[in-house]
Amino acid sequence: MGFESANNNSILSKLAINEEHGENSPYFDGWKAYDNDPFHPLKHPNGVIQMGLAENQLCFDLTEEWIKKNPKASICSTEGIKSFKAIANFQDYHGLPEFRRAIAKFMEKTRGGRVTFDPDRVVMAGGATGANETIIFCLADSGDAFLVPSPYYSAFNRDLRWRTGVELIPIHCESCNNFQITTKAVKEAYENAQKANIKVKGLILTNPSNPLGTTLDEDTLKSLLNFTNQHNIHLVCDEIYTATVFDTPQFVSIAEVLNDNETNYCNKDLVHIVYSLSKDMGLPGFRIGIVYSFNDAVVNCARKMSSFGLISTQTQHFLAAMLSDEKFVANYLAESAKRLAKRHKYFTNGLLEVGIKCLKSNAGLFCWMDLRPLLRESTFDSEMSLWRVIINEVKLNVSPGSSFDCQEPGFFRVCFANMDDETVDIALSRIRRFVGVKRSGDESNAVEKKQQWKKNNLRLSFSKRMYDESVLSPLSSPIPHSPQVR
Amino acid sequence: MTIKIEKRPTVGLSKVATSDTHGEDSPYFAGWKAYDENPFDEVHNPSGVIQMGLAENQVSFDLLEEYLEKYRDVARCGSGISSFRENALFQDYHGLLSFRKAMASFMEQVRGGRATFDPDRVVITAGATAANELLTFILADPGDALLVPTPYYPGFDRDLRWRTDVKIVPVHCNNSNNFQVTPQALEEAYKEAESKNIKVKGVLITNPSNPFGATVQRLVLEEIVEFVTRKNIHLVSDEIYSGSAFCCSEFVSIAEILESRNYMDSERVHIVYSLSKDLGLPGFRVGTIYSYNDNVVTTARRMSSFTLISSQTQQLLASMLSDETFTQNYIKTNRERLRRRYEMIIDGLRSAGIECLKGNAGLFCWMNLSPLLEKPTKDCELAVWNTILHEVKLNISPGSSCHCSEPGWFRVCFANMSENTLEIALKRIHDFMETRTIIQKH
């Protein structure tokens, strides 16, 4: 049904017309390629494997088993239907008390019980997407800015800026020190903003990091807390990957740092946490976003705003039951960490075998792959060319570092937790073929291979022509699925 | 024990955070407070405050429960084993196709098949609250305005204005023509905005109307469409009470008007729908935007990322709403029960000497207490309201909270309680009016 009219369309708002939704960026070519030719082990074994989606699919069996044993958690089951009316009718933006209690408890458990959370500070939002936007609406005016360590989750550009009108100022982190956040870099970003007359209202970071998969150490967190406090600006910690930590060092939440005796002088009103169950529990469809603030006024304001993105009470009810099952939670968290560790090790070892290094990481659903040796030149154009080759020839949808605002070309985020073991093997074999040098019985090891590539000016086993195909024509048909950039 | 060092300067929040446009500081929340402190309960607190300020539909829950009991395996899909994983992972902002198809079909049935809806134009949002705000973000810039006929749902002050920074310019309606919108009133409001250099981007109507519970007449809808076309602005039709019209044929949707014009100029029209009222499921946060404008559909869909419906809930409702036997019966029975409730309250009020606006839809009636006002002012209206709240112990909504320009009107909800409770409420009103008559006689 087309509704064309001879007259001009009534004009839409500026924000409807601008590009801040981010979907016209070239990075969506990867999604398009996947959508056009998605991998399926039987039907499309040569299709594109989705490695750009940070989903946690490793522990569904545990959740499904729990559901089978606990039919009461569903208000549609015979056991649960008695609650149907009350649940369906409940629209209080405070949320079901049992839900808030269960979330607070879960947040404690995922932080090893090292810190407590107050259920009355748990505020709902439409997924972490909604939570991040809400916290910005509470803390900053249109035209203000937030500092964000880079590389960072690319959809922050939409979530934090689109409707709020707030700017993002990256704090550049470098490979030479494993992308750690330095005080120097933070100060520089802040001072540059001051010089440009931009009002910085806060700093937002993701810990564990997306896309790096690393966690911040206590000292870094303390110095960030000191810095933000000193300048009387907010500190927002997006901790949605908390339970994806699978290795040492142990995760340190900003909540723990606040509790520390040394920081008891600091102004807690400046500290806020964003949480979600999309990654830790693998439930992105359920839209469970949480704003947790140590500032009463922000809790109140965010709660009022939650009217625009409340969590379905059906889902609240379900989660309240599941997350208050302590035995289930303890087992789930342990098992999830174990499986993530195993998958991470398997995948990164597989990459290492062919000479591809990843940033040493202890968390997340992805790894930060270093393909700098494969770049023709150390430029972003080369990175994009390489990326297009990986999508179109190697048939893997990975995410180029530039989409995360990485300042050094050649890094790629690769997700590994959204597939089964067989698919991981197929992905690794494709990568192996891709980096295989034309050999004449050369049995060199990975290190030698790497040197060989550099020496031969990166001659690889596919035609050079592919490098030159640096621009794909954008597809004219709309993307069938929404970009799932996380 | 920690020693507190000198208090730091209060940390700044945003202007949005510190404004009171969320509306919760208004005096009307005293009503909610009174109810919260002393809630009526038939058994445990029979003299408590009866909540008549909440537009909820509780008259047809048994039909939902019956459906779930009969088809629990189907309905349980959201938490059923076979599709749990897929469902839990589904975060596509297009929404489940099965859900969109079911919603489009349900919207058609509510309109007696007099309009068709394309599932690909259905955009999902977490409730109508989100849908209204989202549309405002898309249709208007900060500082622009939407024209909204008064009296209107008090929540619009927050939903349309708070974070969007868009203004509402009221289109004044009054009892002389049963509060129907007139072209003159629209024109006046438009001019008023112009005189203040405010750019009007659209008109937002609620049909059936909240708070006065009546459908908008066909002729009025046509006049509104003519007006927005002439001014080249948008029209948002909030039709969340469409399934609550007591008689299906009395409700005319804007979709029917457009269809009868072969969709000429329809790209300026957008419909908001929700299951909170018609199905009595406000907790599930099920809202939709239906737009005839491709750009709006695309943009709204992208923006819905901030406010998607839980896939678990989409799955449940996709099953329920695609069962036409169930939906046809539900729609019919629900209308009938609401009509009976309405007649019960109207008769009860009439026998207490109180007249209401003639209504034919919604979960409330629009009660005229202007004879009780000492003077026709907002203050006197609030005085009467206070009396009703604290002496009669009924939480009803004063017209001034809905921006009604004529003092003395009150919205009274009747579908969020049992018939027994409604009878008790009517008795209290009856006794109150009798006492007043006796006092006046002396």
Side-chain angles (χ1 to χ4, degrees):
Chain A
M1 246 196 277
F3 299 104
E4 306 302 313
S5 111
N7 302 329
N8 279 333
N9 270 354
S10 319
I11 298 166
L12 304 187
S13 66
K14 293 192 183 89
L15 87 78
I17 299 170
N18 72 25
E19 300 277 300
E20 302 299 343
H21 50 75
E23 290 185 22
N24 291 334
S25 86
Y27 309 115
F28 284 92
D29 290 348
W31 298 93
K32 289 171 190 166
Y34 171 76
D35 283 338
N36 284 338
D37 183 20
F39 170 81
H40 186 278
L42 301 167
K43 300 183 208 163
H44 280 125
N46 294 321
V48 175
I49 298 178
Q50 177 62 278
M51 304 191 87
L53 193 50
E55 272 177 0
N56 185 351
Q57 292 194 28
L58 302 184
C59 291
F60 274 117
D61 58 316
L62 301 178
T63 317
E64 284 163 354
E65 195 191 319
W66 186 89
I67 291 171
K68 243 199 220 148
K69 294 194 187 136
N70 296 273
K72 207 164 157 218
S74 161
I75 48 176
C76 312
S77 66
T78 323
E79 297 83 347
I81 200 172
K82 286 188 288 286
S83 321
F84 182 83
K85 182 169 169 163
I87 297 296
N89 211 41
F90 184 90
Q91 58 175 328
D92 184 339
Y93 61 26
H94 287 77
L96 291 171
E98 58 268 28
F99 171 73
R100 279 186 289 113
R101 278 196 301 266
I103 292 285
K105 266 254 118 45
F106 188 75
M107 287 173 76
E108 288 172 5
K109 290 262 144 55
T110 52
R111 288 155 183 78
R114 297 182 295 275
V115 69
T116 52
F117 287 94
D118 177 2
D120 290 336
R121 292 188 176 283
V122 171
V123 174
M124 299 183 284
T129 303
N132 277 316
E133 189 196 47
T134 295
I135 194 73
I136 298 296
F137 264 125
C138 290
L139 306 180
D141 295 323
S142 181
D144 290 343
F146 255 72
L147 304 177
V148 56
S150 138
Y152 61 88
Y153 166 55
S154 47
F156 272 171
N157 290 325
R158 173 197 65 187
D159 299 350
L160 309 180
R161 295 174 44 212
W162 191 16
R163 304 194 300 183
T164 61
V166 167
E167 275 312 312
L168 287 181
I169 295 172
I171 299 167
H172 296 301
C173 303
E174 297 169 334
S175 61
C176 58
N177 72 338
N178 292 323
F179 295 96
Q180 287 175 80
I181 307 170
T182 62
T183 315
K184 175 166 174 280
V186 176
K187 278 197 177 128
E188 206 176 288
Y190 184 79
E191 276 154 20
N192 285 339
Q194 302 286 84
K195 281 190 211 135
N197 253 329
I198 299 172
K199 196 158 162 211
V200 173
K201 290 306 286 285
L203 191 157
I204 181 166
L205 55 87
T206 308
N207 176 33
S209 161
N210 175 10
L212 304 174
T214 53
T215 53
L216 293 177
D217 61 70
E218 200 174 336
D219 284 338
T220 308
L221 280 170
K222 278 193 177 141
S223 52
L224 287 168
L225 188 57
N226 281 335
F227 180 85
T228 49
N229 252 255
Q230 250 169 45
H231 296 274
N232 202 31
I233 62 177
H234 294 276
L235 179 60
V236 178
C237 293
D238 180 336
E239 299 190 346
I240 69 171
Y241 289 98
T242 299
T244 67
V245 175
F246 52 77
D247 199 355
T248 52
Q250 187 181 75
F251 177 65
V252 180
S253 164
I254 194 69
E256 296 174 59
V257 178
L258 277 188
N259 245 7
D260 196 313
N261 275 334
E262 288 175 29
T263 56
N264 60 10
Y265 61 84
C266 103
N267 186 356
K268 289 190 173 165
D269 278 349
L270 289 169
V271 185
H272 324 274
I273 296 177
V274 164
Y275 191 56
S276 163
L277 296 181
S278 300
K279 310 299 175 183
D280 287 354
M281 295 288 307
L283 306 171
F286 290 7
R287 312 316 301 148
I288 304 137
I290 303 290
V291 174
Y292 187 97
S293 176
F294 296 91
N295 179 322
D296 292 345
V298 173
V299 170
N300 279 322
C301 180
R303 193 180 282 135
K304 292 180 172 97
M305 283 189 188
S306 69
S307 300
F308 299 113
L310 292 171
I311 300 169
S312 168
T313 45
Q314 178 192 13
T315 302
Q316 289 186 49
H317 176 83
F318 170 74
L319 288 166
M322 191 165 77
L323 298 184
S324 48
D325 183 339
E326 294 196 8
K327 203 159 153 235
F328 165 76
V329 167
N331 180 52
Y332 184 99
L333 292 177
E335 202 43 44
S336 175
K338 219 164 98 192
R339 295 180 190 184
L340 279 170
K342 188 168 167 217
R343 178 58 68 83
H344 171 266
K345 188 167 175 194
Y346 186 78
F347 187 70
T348 48
N349 279 348
L351 291 177
L352 212 52
E353 275 167 25
V354 291
I356 295 178
K357 287 207 187 120
C358 293
L359 181 72
K360 182 156 170 28
S361 62
N362 62 327
L365 310 172
F366 34 71
C367 54
W368 190 237
M369 195 167 63
D370 183 355
L371 294 186
R372 287 178 295 176
L374 300 188
L375 290 185
R376 202 165 17 154
E377 309 165 318
S378 179
T379 62
F380 287 108
D381 277 345
S382 275
E383 180 184 281
M384 289 300 270
S385 299
L386 177 58
W387 177 58
R388 291 205 158 95
V389 166
I390 297 175
I391 293 175
N392 295 309
E393 304 301 333
V394 191
K395 301 259 180 95
L396 303 174
N397 182 28
V398 300
S399 312
S402 47
S403 68
F404 299 94
D405 192 61
C406 185
Q407 295 298 295
E408 296 164 68
F411 289 92
F412 291 79
R413 188 193 78 170
V414 193
C415 299
F416 54 66
N418 61 317
M419 56 190 73
D420 57 27
D421 291 333
E422 289 74 27
T423 311
V424 176
D425 277 333
I426 295 172
L428 282 173
S429 68
R430 288 184 186 182
I431 293 171
R432 252 177 244 122
R433 270 199 314 275
F434 165 62
V435 299
V437 183
K438 268 198 176 136
R439 54 185 119 241
S440 39
D442 185 358
E443 300 297 322
S444 22
N445 64 26
V447 173
E448 279 184 19
K449 270 188 193 158
K450 190 172 155 186
Q451 291 168 342
Q452 186 80 353
W453 299 323
K454 277 186 178 156
K455 214 169 98 189
N456 295 340
N457 199 26
L458 306 165
R459 189 175 66 233
L460 299 165
S461 64
F462 53 88
S463 86
K464 189 176 174 298
R465 175 183 63 81
M466 293 171 203
Y467 259 139
D468 298 330
E469 285 177 16
S470 51
V471 177
L472 282 178
S473 55
L475 295 176
S476 51
S477 57
I479 308 172
H481 302 295
S482 66
Q484 295 164 33
V485 196
R486 298 196 91 119
Chain B
M1 179 156 142
T2 62
I3 299 163
K4 209 150 187 215
I5 305 175
E6 64 188 48
K7 199 149 164 62
R8 296 210 114 91
T10 342
V11 61
L13 301 188
S14 64
K15 293 192 187 96
V16 164
T18 46
S19 85
D20 57 5
T21 316
H22 50 70
E24 289 187 26
D25 296 333
S26 81
Y28 314 113
F29 280 86
W32 295 92
K33 209 159 156 256
Y35 170 76
D36 283 336
E37 284 165 7
N38 184 17
F40 170 84
D41 183 285
E42 273 183 71
V43 175
H44 304 291
N45 190 15
S47 59
V49 176
I50 298 179
Q51 176 63 280
M52 303 192 90
L54 193 51
E56 273 177 4
N57 183 358
Q58 297 192 25
V59 307
S60 303
F61 258 116
D62 59 314
L63 300 176
L64 297 173
E65 285 162 343
E66 196 187 298
Y67 170 86
L68 289 171
E69 278 181 39
K70 228 158 118 187
Y71 299 103
R72 54 180 179 271
D73 289 329
V74 172
R76 203 157 49 113
C77 275
S79 346
I81 297 311
S82 54
S83 59
F84 175 79
R85 182 190 173 116
E86 268 168 25
N87 185 251
L89 286 172
F90 187 86
Q91 59 173 328
D92 184 336
Y93 64 25
H94 287 77
L96 280 177
L97 178 59
S98 56
F99 172 70
R100 281 186 286 118
K101 280 185 168 154
M103 278 302 279
S105 160
F106 189 72
M107 286 169 75
E108 287 174 359
Q109 287 171 58
V110 163
R111 287 153 186 75
R114 296 183 299 273
T116 49
F117 291 96
D118 174 2
D120 289 337
R121 291 191 171 280
V122 172
V123 177
I124 63 173
T125 64
T129 302
N132 280 317
E133 188 199 40
L134 207 150
L135 270 177
T136 308
F137 267 121
I138 292 177
L139 305 180
D141 290 318
D144 289 346
L146 293 178
L147 303 186
V148 183
T150 69
Y152 62 76
Y153 163 56
F156 279 162
D157 286 331
R158 173 198 59 191
D159 301 348
L160 308 180
R161 301 182 324 157
W162 190 22
R163 305 192 303 182
T164 60
D165 202 23
V166 167
K167 301 184 188 343
I168 293 178
V169 173
V171 179
H172 295 294
C173 304
N174 56 59
N175 192 30
S176 64
N177 69 339
N178 294 323
F179 293 96
Q180 293 279 332
V181 179
T182 62
Q184 299 91 302
L186 284 167
E187 206 53 71
E188 252 169 53
Y190 191 91
K191 287 203 172 74
E192 154 106 17
E194 260 186 342
S195 71
K196 294 179 177 159
N197 258 328
I198 297 170
K199 204 161 156 205
V200 173
K201 293 310 288 285
V203 173
L204 189 145
I205 61 171
T206 308
N207 174 28
S209 161
N210 176 11
F212 53 82
T215 56
V216 181
Q217 292 163 18
R218 177 179 291 271
L219 179 62
V220 175
L221 286 173
E222 283 168 355
E223 285 170 345
I224 296 173
V225 171
E226 194 276 328
F227 176 81
V228 298
T229 308
R230 199 163 25 92
K231 302 287 189 193
N232 194 24
I233 59 179
H234 294 275
L235 174 60
V236 177
S237 181
D238 182 335
E239 299 191 351
I240 68 171
Y241 291 99
S242 44
S244 310
F246 309 147
C247 170
C248 178
S249 56
E250 282 182 17
F251 169 64
V252 180
S253 165
I254 199 72
E256 297 173 54
I257 306 289
L258 295 177
E259 215 157 287
S260 68
R261 293 151 58 105
N262 265 324
Y263 300 105
M264 185 179 64
D265 278 324
S266 57
E267 79 285 349
R268 63 182 75 258
V269 181
H270 326 280
I271 297 177
V272 167
Y273 189 55
S274 160
L275 298 182
S276 300
K277 310 298 177 184
D278 289 350
L279 238 57
L281 305 171
F284 286 3
R285 312 317 298 147
V286 182
T288 63
I289 292 171
Y290 189 93
S291 176
Y292 295 90
N293 182 317
D294 292 347
N295 282 335
V296 173
V297 171
T298 305
T299 309
R301 200 179 272 140
R302 288 176 176 146
M303 229 181 248
S304 68
S305 301
F306 298 111
T307 182
L308 296 170
I309 302 175
S310 168
S311 52
Q312 194 184 22
T313 302
Q314 289 186 54
Q315 183 94 312
L316 165 62
L317 292 167
S319 303
M320 204 190 268
L321 297 184
S322 52
D323 182 337
E324 280 201 24
T325 315
F326 164 74
T327 52
Q328 298 279 17
N329 179 52
Y330 181 94
I331 292 169
K332 196 167 116 225
T333 311
N334 183 50
R335 287 197 205 281
E336 182 51 39
R337 291 181 183 180
L338 287 174
R339 189 186 56 75
R340 272 209 328 256
R341 273 298 169 97
Y342 172 79
E343 278 168 6
M344 183 178 160
I345 196 175
I346 293 301
D347 288 343
L349 290 175
R350 189 169 287 138
S351 66
I354 298 174
E355 287 302 319
C356 294
L357 184 77
K358 175 123 179 53
N360 63 344
L363 314 173
F364 32 70
C365 61
W366 190 234
M367 185 168 75
N368 186 0
L369 293 185
S370 52
L372 299 187
L373 269 52
E374 271 182 39
K375 282 181 281 195
T377 64
K378 180 175 164 183
D379 282 341
C380 287
E381 176 184 284
L382 285 178
V384 169
W385 174 66
N386 251 306
T387 306
I388 296 178
L389 180 61
H390 293 111
E391 290 178 26
V392 192
K393 301 254 176 77
L394 302 175
N395 182 29
I396 60 179
S397 311
S400 45
S401 69
C402 306
H403 301 277
C404 186
S405 44
E406 288 183 10
W409 293 89
F410 292 80
R411 188 191 78 167
V412 190
C413 298
F414 54 69
N416 61 316
M417 59 190 73
S418 66
E419 274 190 19
N420 272 350
T421 308
L422 184 54
E423 271 170 18
I424 294 169
L426 286 171
K427 175 138 196 332
R428 289 186 189 179
I429 295 174
H430 198 265
D431 293 344
F432 167 71
M433 290 299 284
E434 258 193 9
T435 321
R436 270 193 92 104
T437 319
I438 292 167
I439 290 172
Q440 279 169 355
K441 277 186 178 153
H442 290 76

